[in-house]
Amino acid sequence: MCSDPSALHGFSWLACYLTTAKHMGLYWSFGTVLLLLAITAPTALLFGFGGASAARSRFAPLRWFGKAYIALVRGVPDIAFFLFFVIALDQGIEYVRHLFLCPSTDGPVRQGNDFIVCAAAKMPLGNSPQWVHETYGFSLAVITFAIVYGAFAANVLFGAMTAVPRGQLETAEAYGMSHRQTFWRVLVPQMWVYALPGLSNLWMVLIKATPLLFLLGVEDIVYWARELGGSKTPNYTDYPHGDWRMWYFFFLLVFYLSFTRLSELVLNRIMAKLTFGQATAAGEKQRRAAA
Amino acid sequence: MKKLILSAAVLALTAGLAMAESHTTVRLATEGAYPPYNFINDKGEVDGFERELGDELCKRAELTCTWSTNEWDSIIPNLVSGNYDVIIAGMSITEERSQVISFSEPYTQPDPSAFMTKAGAGDVMSGTIAAQSGTIQAAYVTADMPGATLLEFATADESVAAVKNGEADAVLADKATLVPIVEADSELAISGDEVLIGGGVGLGMRQSDTELKAKFDAAIESMKADGSLNALITKWLPGAATF
């Protein structure tokens, strides 16, 4: 049916247009964005938890490390971090592999403008298929996102840990719990209610930051919207059209708005659950409403 | 546990060794947004003059090549950092770029650049001129058109859109890119004089990759010699000079 698009009109033309292999690229890229969020959010939370625990550690070097991580990463502009760090990380990995895999290779790694490692040290290998290169690029993006958002999450969790009433911890100690037990059994379960508003902010910001994937060379929804929306002359496509970027970006707007709205609804539910039985104003309100 | 981590690391490091022995794959990078030189077709694949040219050059040089796309803005930094081996993206050979990367023999004659305006706009050479950032045209507007203001865009398509919506008075780009756009849109026209900038289009490679450069130079020479390059130029680049 789609073999001769120039003969088609109206809906059938649109149906064929929206199902070209190129449009499939756009639809898949929504999956890329969702996958990024699905992997990055828990990883960043883990980084945040590690950072916050380190920052309140009794062992000084670990504490310094935690505080430095939070301060440094939060202070560097996101864009600078995304542009610089990814290249540095990629070259760092290749450099280490170069040292291990071909130590006998002559010549320095940096020659003029070029960064040269032996063929075996390339990451991924030059002869890997394109999808491996794309997956590798995606993984670098996930790590970078996790480090950046982990630092913000660490600060939120650090604040939440200090917000848990001192009396709770004292009681735990009075029952003879060790430092570790107090941390895991009393502090951690109670801190989430204080952390959630901050974490939900981060989640919203993370959703809206996914177009940064485009900066990292991953073909995300913004890339495809721009590519598909740009005007097309009849010489190079069966579906010539004018500048349709407005429609594609409008579609992205709808996607992001509905996604953040859905997130809000889910987060409100989680908040209500976490508030239950807590010695906070909202917890007290819940108790009165039930009574 | 430590042993486990160590052996996992060693495994990860050595896993690729055996495969790397047969390293002959050359990765080509293009922009995919500069028809007719390179663009993404309806199937979502790289297509255009440089797709056909690149495939033929790789065949003649007996190399296995794979295609990838990269933003124009970061196409040179990613080459020198080793993410791919060759830039084949309508890149004109210039003095400035030659300081960072090395170019093959040119595979087009210096392509004249042209101004495109709204039809009937007349001479607007002193107004706001749109161009793709990091191109020879953008450099030309800044350096050689004292009366004009440069407006830069990330892609050629966006600079054309700027003329259509009145943001810019004219766009300066390779003539071969503008001609198909003007043919398809009666609101637009080529106007003013053509300008000759750049020294033809060539493949960009790392300066240390002398062996690869020699192979591609030989392949380009052989395509020039048997006329197949001229056939490709006539097929894809309207009005461009042949060799």
Side-chain angles (χ1 to χ4, degrees):
Chain A
M1 165 187 147
C2 296
S3 52
D4 185 17
S6 55
L8 296 172
H9 295 286
F11 181 74
S12 47
W13 184 89
L14 196 66
C16 282
Y17 173 68
L18 290 177
T19 49
T20 55
K22 202 176 181 182
H23 270 84
M24 294 304 157
L26 171 70
Y27 306 143
W28 275 111
S29 65
F30 279 95
T32 312
V33 169
L34 295 179
L35 188 69
L36 176 88
L37 286 169
I39 302 175
T40 306
T43 320
L45 198 59
L46 208 67
F47 272 55
F49 192 78
S53 315
R56 65 189 296 286
S57 162
R58 284 175 302 173
F59 179 58
L62 196 61
R63 190 167 64 236
W64 296 332
F65 171 77
K67 297 221 165 180
Y69 166 58
I70 295 175
L72 257 176
V73 178
R74 286 202 316 154
V76 176
D78 277 7
I79 300 265
F81 200 86
F82 278 103
L83 289 181
F84 166 76
F85 182 75
V86 178
I87 292 180
L89 183 65
D90 178 37
Q91 294 195 351
I93 292 172
E94 290 191 344
Y95 182 62
V96 171
R97 280 171 59 94
H98 181 79
L99 291 183
F100 272 92
L101 295 179
C102 30
S104 56
T105 314
D106 299 331
V109 171
R110 292 212 173 270
Q111 296 178 16
N113 303 305
D114 302 352
F115 175 78
I116 304 153
V117 293
C118 63
K122 285 262 185 203
M123 193 70 183
L125 293 172
N127 53 6
S128 326
Q130 181 62 15
W131 69 266
V132 175
H133 284 270
E134 277 164 20
T135 311
Y136 177 69
F138 180 79
S139 317
L140 286 184
V142 167
I143 294 170
T144 315
F145 267 99
I147 290 176
V148 171
Y149 285 87
F152 288 96
N155 201 44
V156 169
L157 292 178
F158 183 75
M161 285 174 183
T162 20
V164 173
R166 176 73 194 127
Q168 298 282 335
L169 307 182
E170 259 174 32
T171 314
E173 278 156 20
Y175 271 93
M177 286 192 190
S178 69
H179 193 79
R180 177 182 292 253
Q181 281 173 327
T182 313
F183 181 77
W184 285 110
R185 295 189 189 176
V186 180
L187 183 74
V188 171
Q190 289 197 45
M191 72 174 186
W192 295 111
V193 68
Y194 304 103
L196 196 68
L199 290 181
S200 71
N201 269 351
L202 272 184
W203 168 252
M204 294 299 193
V205 177
L206 179 63
I207 292 176
K208 294 186 294 173
T210 48
L212 284 174
L213 272 177
F214 176 58
L215 273 185
L216 302 180
V218 178
E219 290 177 352
D220 73 331
I221 47 183
V222 179
Y223 167 83
W224 283 113
R226 197 176 79 175
E227 170 59 37
L228 287 161
S231 49
K232 300 275 179 293
T233 51
N235 310 27
Y236 314 119
T237 173
D238 292 335
Y239 303 91
H241 60 76
D243 190 350
W244 284 3
R245 276 177 301 165
M246 197 180 84
W247 299 110
Y248 281 92
F249 280 104
F250 181 73
F251 181 55
L252 293 197
L253 178 78
V254 172
F255 168 73
Y256 275 112
L257 279 179
S258 5
F259 195 32
T260 45
R261 179 74 195 127
L262 186 74
S263 303
E264 248 174 36
L265 292 176
V266 173
L267 286 165
N268 283 345
R269 284 194 157 201
I270 298 177
M271 191 62 193
K273 277 216 165 142
L274 287 176
T275 307
F276 185 74
Q278 290 286 339
T280 59
E284 179 64 13
K285 211 172 157 192
Q286 249 184 14
R287 191 185 64 80
R288 286 215 185 132
Chain B
M1 188 64 192
K2 257 187 191 159
K3 246 187 192 164
L4 194 73
I5 293 172
L6 200 69
S7 50
V10 170
L11 203 70
L13 284 166
T14 48
L17 258 184
M19 280 166 70
E21 295 295 326
S22 57
H23 170 82
T24 45
T25 308
V26 173
R27 283 169 55 72
L28 309 177
T30 190
E31 188 200 4
Y34 205 65
Y37 287 91
N38 56 75
F39 60 94
I40 309 290
N41 65 16
D42 289 336
K43 288 183 200 144
E45 295 161 350
V46 176
D47 202 342
F49 170 64
E50 284 169 329
R51 174 68 204 247
E52 269 195 49
L53 175 74
D55 285 346
E56 181 62 28
L57 289 177
C58 289
K59 209 167 97 191
R60 291 184 186 221
E62 291 174 354
L63 298 165
T64 319
C65 295
T66 55
W67 287 87
S68 61
T69 53
N70 196 89
E71 281 287 282
W72 174 257
D73 268 343
S74 59
I75 206 162
I76 290 181
N78 276 324
L79 173 77
V80 293
S81 116
N83 290 356
Y84 37 76
D85 307 302
V86 180
I87 298 174
I88 171 163
M91 187 176 274
S92 293
I93 301 167
T94 65
E95 193 67 25
E96 200 187 347
R97 287 175 186 148
S98 298
Q99 287 170 6
V100 185
I101 57 176
S102 68
F103 283 100
S104 69
E105 294 284 306
Y107 53 79
T108 69
Q109 297 280 18
D111 185 29
S113 298
F115 291 96
M116 187 183 73
T117 58
K118 282 190 178 165
D123 184 33
V124 284
M125 296 314 138
S126 56
T128 309
I129 311 288
Q132 187 177 8
S133 63
T135 58
I136 50 173
Q137 288 86 6
Y140 178 82
V141 175
T142 321
D144 301 306
M145 296 178 64
T149 316
L150 173 67
L151 202 55
E152 288 182 294
F153 293 92
T155 63
D157 175 60
E158 283 167 301
S159 58
V160 171
V163 173
K164 290 183 86 171
N165 65 27
E167 204 180 334
D169 299 315
V171 56
L172 180 60
D174 286 327
K175 197 181 169 195
T177 316
L178 295 177
V179 167
I181 298 173
V182 172
E183 277 171 2
D185 194 334
S186 55
E187 281 177 38
L188 299 167
I190 303 274
S191 64
D193 297 326
E194 291 174 359
V195 282
L196 265 177
I197 29 180
V201 172
L203 303 171
M205 280 159 285
R206 280 181 293 275
Q207 284 171 340
S208 50
D209 263 355
T210 44
E211 208 178 306
L212 191 65
K213 177 175 148 51
K215 279 185 188 169
F216 275 115
D217 277 345
I220 292 171
E221 279 307 323
S222 89
M223 283 190 74
K224 278 181 183 169
D226 68 8
S228 53
L229 182 57
N230 281 345
L232 272 187
I233 292 176
T234 326
K235 177 184 171 193
W236 283 103
L237 308 176
T242 53
F243 286 97

